[in-house]
Every structure is written in C-alpha cells, then in structure tokens.
Amino acid sequence: MSSVMHPDLDIAPEIAKALAERRAIVALESTIIAHGMSYPDNLRIAREIEAIIRKAGAIPATIAILNGRLKVGLTEAELQHLARSHEIAKASVRDLPVLVAAGGDGATTVASTMRIAAMAGLRIFATGGIGGVHRGAELSGDVSADLTELARSPVAVVSAGAKAILDLPRTLEMLETLSVPVIGYGCDEFPAFYSRSSGLRLTARADTPGQLARMLAARWRLDGGGVLIANPIPTPDEIPAALIETQIRGAVSRAAADGVAGKDVTPYLLARLRDLTAGASQRANVALVLNNARIAAQTAVALAAHGQQH
Ligand code: PSU
Ligand code: MN
C-alpha cells in the first residue's frame, strides 16, 4: 500500500489509513528535530508535538528522507535515528532528487516538507517559523525556498510567522509578490516569531479553525498553492522584541564575520541566538511550535468536517 501512490513515497500504514478515511492529519518537518535541538531534548519535544496533535483529534505525520525514500510518518526507530544521528543533511526541495538518487538521509525543511506532504495528499502542516528573505539579502541574495514552495504546493503552513532572524518586511513583500495568502490567526499583525507583534499589518484574519478551513478550501478551489497561517506565540512565552532584536543583530554580524552562507545560515543563527539568550530563544521556539501543532490539528479537523459537507 505504501508505495502505490508514487514510486519514491513511503506512507506509513497509520497515515495511509487516515487518508483513506479522510481523517485529519498534520504534517511535521524534521529539520527541527535533526538540526534545531540536541538529543534527547529533540526526541522528547517531537513526541510532545505528536501528543498534542493526537489530543486535538488529528494524526501526526513526520516527514523525512531515509535511505532515499520520501517518508510520510515515521516508526519509533526512524524517529530515534533522526534525533540521534549527526549525519542527517538539511534537505530543501532541490536536495530531494540528489538524496533519492543516492539513497541518502535528509531532514526536511518547510519547503521540502510541503512538497512531500502535497505528494501524499496532506494539506495541513505545523512548524515553528518559515524561512524567508534574510537580512542583507540585497547583497547576498539569500531567500529561502520556503517562499517559492508556498507559492506552489497546496499546503497550509501553521507558523508563528517567519523566523525573526530574517528581514520580516521584505519576507512579507515577497509573499505578496508570490500571491501567497497570509492569514493572521486571532491577530492583525504579522507575528515576529519570538514576540507577538512586528508592526507589519496583515490583510487577512481568522479567529476560529472553521474560518481557517473555509479560507483554505476557497484557496484550493480558486487556484492552488500554499497558505501561510500566522499564529502568534502565546503571551506568557514571548521574548520582548527589543531584547531579542539586540541578540539577533549580534548573531547576524557574527555570521557575516564567520563567512557563513547558504543553507548553514539559519541553523547557525538559531544556535548562536540560543547561546546569546542562555536558552531562552529555544524555550520560546518550543512553546510556539506546540501552540502551532494544536491550532494545526484543530484546523485539520475543521477541514475534514468541511470536506464531508461537500
Ligand atoms: N530550525 C532549525 N534549523 C533550520 C530550520 C529550522 O533549527 O535550519 C529550518 C526550517 O526547516 C526552515 C529552514 O524551513 O530552516 C529555512 O532554511 P533556509 O533559509 O536555508 O531555506
Ligand atoms: Mn538560504
């Protein structure tokens, strides 16, 4: 059953069954496990995320590349391998054919998770924050493939906005250019990942999972492509914007001095920020991911109910 849909895809039995029964499923990325946190914290958090999704009535489907297979839903052993190994490459969309051909392992970013989720027929994906236009992109040209993938794959990404290490105004402009709907969940501003507000206004808002589901269904009836759902970090977990901004500037100038470029930039900045804030940035990151997982599961449940009405 697992490889019927696509020759490179392995859909775990639980996910295949949920798809056949049109039940709510939430896709999850694996870069956050393999590169965002160290063992055993990463494994513990991965399990907490899955538990929150199940509690809200949906099935979690973690996505990764293992032995050249595009995996949708992992076994316990596969999750352990991702969490423990130091040999898992960070894999965006352009890395997929290379890893598939070589039979390699890869942790999926937002972009590649979206692509594989879409191949499997999954529509809702929970993450922390998307990649986007980097600070200094006017010189470096560094813009994440997460943005171009949002324009392409019909998947809704529940996030706390784009990572605050990025140039948020330019990221929002690029999303507009790419015609990606950005929906504030219970907010009118683009959240700034570690803090709730950025001062950047959004043009769409939803206050319930049912409203989100109707917007998503309309997006997919009208054209296709992705949707960015921007769900602010809970107030008790916020880091004040002014405080984190100082640390981000420190991390960004250090990255430039160290000549960090390409796909190493995001992991470098996040690790540096974790050190500069004595772990506070990672605690906030975990809190917002858990919050996004819950909203994503509620949205997946609402979307499944919506689908059954038509
Ligand atoms: N969390 C991390 N490190 C990362 C990311 C998250 O600790 O690298 C990822 C996310 O998966 C996001 C990606 O999709 O960074 C964006 O990276 P880039 O700017 O290279 O596209
Ligand atoms: Mn980049």
Side-chain angles (χ1 to χ4, degrees):
M1 182 168 209
S2 62
S3 59
V4 171
M5 294 176 65
H6 188 286
D8 298 306
L9 206 53
D10 280 347
I11 301 183
E14 185 189 21
I15 308 301
K17 183 165 179 284
L19 276 166
E21 293 170 356
R22 298 186 172 278
R23 294 193 47 201
I25 307 170
V26 175
L28 297 165
E29 65 161 292
S30 44
T31 294
I32 201 170
I33 302 170
H35 299 279
M37 285 173 264
S38 48
Y39 183 83
D41 286 352
N42 54 2
L43 192 60
R44 182 173 49 81
I45 303 298
R47 290 195 177 119
E48 265 185 63
I49 293 170
E50 297 203 347
I52 282 187
I53 289 169
R54 288 188 195 280
K55 198 169 162 224
I59 313 272
T62 302
I63 289 177
I65 304 113
L66 295 173
N67 301 315
R69 306 289 303 163
L70 309 181
K71 296 277 178 189
V72 178
L74 302 179
T75 64
E76 179 61 28
E78 289 167 342
L79 191 64
Q80 289 263 357
H81 172 61
L82 266 181
R84 285 170 185 265
S85 170
H86 294 285
E87 257 110 79
I88 313 275
K90 174 181 163 187
S92 193
V93 175
R94 74 163 185 180
D95 305 304
L96 295 178
V98 179
L99 288 169
V100 166
D105 290 348
T108 52
T109 63
V110 167
S112 52
T113 304
M114 285 185 79
R115 180 69 63 91
I116 296 168
M119 287 169 68
L122 272 47
R123 290 285 172 262
I124 308 288
F125 163 23
T127 187
I130 63 160
V133 180
H134 279 269
R135 297 177 185 215
E138 57 274 35
L139 292 177
S140 68
D142 191 349
V143 178
S144 175
D146 291 358
L147 298 185
T148 42
E149 199 57 33
L150 274 161
R152 173 175 169 162
S153 284
V155 173
V157 182
V158 182
S159 70
K163 292 181 173 49
I165 54 168
L166 301 166
D167 184 328
L168 296 185
R170 282 191 171 87
T171 297
L172 211 47
E173 289 291 350
M174 183 67 84
L175 286 163
E176 182 181 351
T177 302
L178 293 168
S179 301
V180 175
V182 181
I183 305 172
Y185 190 66
C187 65
D188 296 303
E189 264 183 46
F190 195 44
F193 197 67
Y194 300 114
S195 39
R196 293 177 62 86
S197 125
S198 66
L200 301 163
R201 305 290 295 178
L202 293 177
T203 56
R205 169 181 177 137
D207 291 285
T208 65
Q211 284 176 2
L212 280 175
R214 280 193 294 281
M215 288 181 191
L216 298 181
R219 163 70 158 157
W220 296 324
R221 273 200 313 279
L222 292 172
D223 37 25
V227 173
L228 182 62
I229 297 170
N231 179 38
I233 185 171
T235 306
D237 302 307
E238 254 191 309
I239 305 179
L243 194 76
I244 195 75
E245 181 59 24
T246 308
Q247 317 286 17
I248 290 171
R249 287 192 186 165
V252 168
S253 52
R254 183 63 182 270
D258 287 356
V260 181
K263 67 188 200 180
D264 296 334
V265 173
T266 299
Y268 178 98
L269 289 175
L270 294 176
R272 190 90 205 125
L273 211 51
R274 185 179 56 216
D275 295 344
L276 287 170
T277 62
S281 65
Q282 181 152 313
R283 285 191 293 278
N285 201 334
V286 168
L288 65 84
V289 170
L290 294 173
N291 187 46
N292 293 340
R294 189 171 47 84
I295 300 302
Q298 292 171 358
T299 306
V301 168
L303 193 67
H306 187 93
Q308 272 145 25
Q309 284 161 20
H310 295 273

